[in-house]
């Protein structure tokens, strides 16, 4: 098996764990979409370069994900509505995190954005209500609309001097006290 195809396990609501073989190099769109009982931390094997659109979207019980250094991009909705996701180790080689990638990940508490990412896209972390810490590296130039809106516990964020544009409502409905 070299690829987990589009919607391969979509809606498998009783699936509680998976082991992705080392030979896999591609995870397709919606591969595990709606696997609401998937609880164990998932390790993506070295060789996978991108996480497909909505690949783990709606995996409400998923609590952790480890991405290898080979991953360079996270597609739209990759981890959307993963309510139990508390942590994710993002590869330092990731250069693109698309819109809605982590939207509504209610239990995500901290995130480190890799240095190769140049823009925080719209709604990327919107609704991450328990997000406390965000590390934005120097090199980020844009923070798009509602990127961090409704992150109710986000009180402190350091915006690097490389940021040239912060779009409307990027930090709407937060408790920010320090910028």
């Amino acid at each position: 098996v070299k690829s987990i195809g589009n919607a391969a396990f979509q809606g498998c609501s009783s699936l509680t764990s998976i082991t992705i073989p080392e030979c896999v190099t591609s995870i397709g769109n919606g591969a595990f979409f709606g696997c609401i009982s998937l609880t164990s931390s998932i390790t993506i094997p070295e060789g996978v370069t991108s996480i497909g659109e909505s690949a783990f979207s709606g995996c409400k019980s998923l609590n952790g994900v480890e991405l290898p250094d080979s991953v360079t991009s996270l597609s739209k909705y990759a981890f959307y509505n993963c309510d139990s996701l508390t942590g994710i180790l993002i590869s330092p080689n990731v250069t693109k995190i698309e819109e809605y990638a982590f939207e509504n990940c209610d239990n995500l508490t901290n995130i480190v954005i890799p240095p190769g990412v140049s823009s925080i896209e719209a709604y990327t972390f919107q609704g991450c209500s328990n997000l406390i810490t965000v590390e934005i590296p120097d090199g980020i130039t844009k923070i798009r609309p509602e990127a961090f809106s409704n992150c109710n516990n986000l009180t402190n964020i350091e915006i690097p001097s490389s940021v040239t544009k912060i779009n409307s409502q990027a930090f709407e409905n937060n408790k920010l006290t320090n910028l």
Side-chain angles (χ1 to χ4, degrees), residues 7-153:
F9 298 95
Q10 181 173 338
C12 291
S13 60
S14 297
L15 183 65
T16 59
S17 67
I18 58 166
T19 301
I20 300 173
E22 291 294 320
C23 55
V24 169
T25 58
S26 172
I27 297 176
N29 296 342
F32 299 97
F33 181 92
C35 293
I36 59 173
S37 298
L38 189 59
T39 57
S40 63
S41 184
I42 295 174
T43 301
I44 307 295
E46 189 65 45
V48 172
T49 58
S50 69
I51 305 298
E53 188 171 317
S54 298
F56 294 95
S57 184
C59 293
K60 296 184 173 291
S61 300
L62 183 63
N63 58 31
V65 177
E66 187 176 328
L67 301 174
D69 289 345
S70 59
V71 172
T72 59
S73 68
L74 301 176
S75 298
K76 292 179 184 177
Y77 301 101
F79 298 98
Y80 175 80
N81 271 351
C82 289
D83 297 347
S84 298
L85 189 64
T86 56
I88 184 163
L89 182 58
I90 300 178
S91 158
N93 296 321
V94 168
T95 58
K96 185 164 187 125
I97 301 173
E98 293 186 14
E99 296 94 340
Y100 309 96
F102 296 99
E103 183 177 12
N104 293 332
C105 291
D106 294 340
N107 287 303
L108 192 62
T109 57
N110 61 64
I111 195 82
V112 177
I113 298 167
V117 174
S118 62
S119 176
I120 300 173
E121 298 301 326
Y123 308 98
T124 301
F125 300 102
Q126 193 271 343
C128 293
S129 58
N130 285 305
L131 191 62
I132 297 168
T133 307
V134 177
E135 291 182 35
I136 300 176
D138 197 34
I140 295 283
T141 59
K142 295 178 179 114
I143 301 175
R144 301 288 187 184
E146 299 194 45
F148 295 99
S149 67
N150 298 312
C151 294
N152 301 331
N153 286 304

Side-chain angles (χ1 to χ4, degrees), residues 148-161:
F148 295 99
S149 67
N150 298 312
C151 294
N152 301 331
N153 286 304
L154 187 60
T155 58
N156 188 358
I157 193 163
E158 210 171 301
I159 298 174
S161 60

